[in-house]
Amino acid sequence: MVNANGTSEIRALYDSIVDNYSGRTHTSTDTVIEGNQASVELITVGIHRETGNQVTIPNVALLTFNESGKVSKAHVYLDMKNIENQIRVNN
C-alpha cells in the first residue's frame, strides 16, 4: 500500500510511476463514488524502463476530494511481489 496526502505527495507517487514505466495505460474496471470519496479499481500496464519487461499492475486507488473537487488524499493498493516477479521474469 502507498499513502499520499496533499498535492506534493500525490504528485511524487504518480511521478514515480511515470519515471519507472513507459507506455503506460490505465483501464478502470470499477468505480464507486460516495460523497467526497471514490474507490477506483484499475489495471495499469507499462514497460519497465530498466528491464524492458511489460508489467501488468492490478491496483485500487481510494481517493478523497476537497471542497474544490481536487484529490486531497490517495491510498493506492497494489501487490509489490507480483510486480517484482514480472520485472524479473525475463532477466
Side-chain angles (χ1 to χ4, degrees):
M1 177 180 78
V2 180
N3 293 313
N5 293 301
T7 303
S8 61
E9 288 183 22
I10 294 168
R11 187 174 312 275
L13 169 64
Y14 285 98
D15 283 349
S16 72
I17 295 169
V18 169
D19 291 345
N20 289 311
Y21 298 92
S22 62
R24 292 160 317 286
T25 60
H26 304 279
T27 304
S28 174
T29 57
D30 195 14
T31 302
V32 177
I33 300 171
E34 186 172 320
N36 69 333
Q37 297 183 324
S39 94
V40 183
E41 185 177 358
L42 301 156
I43 302 292
T44 301
V45 178
I47 304 299
H48 187 254
R49 291 190 190 274
E50 289 182 29
T51 64
N53 292 349
Q54 179 174 300
V55 179
T56 300
I57 307 168
N59 58 100
V60 174
L62 303 177
L63 308 171
T64 302
F65 298 88
N66 63 22
E67 301 79 28
S68 301
K70 306 263 185 189
V71 176
S72 60
K73 190 183 296 185
H75 299 278
V76 179
Y77 296 86
L78 44 87
D79 182 348
M80 290 304 298
K81 192 65 165 175
N82 178 14
I83 296 167
E84 291 168 3
N85 288 340
Q86 291 180 69
I87 290 171
R88 286 193 301 247
V89 89
N90 294 324
N91 291 329

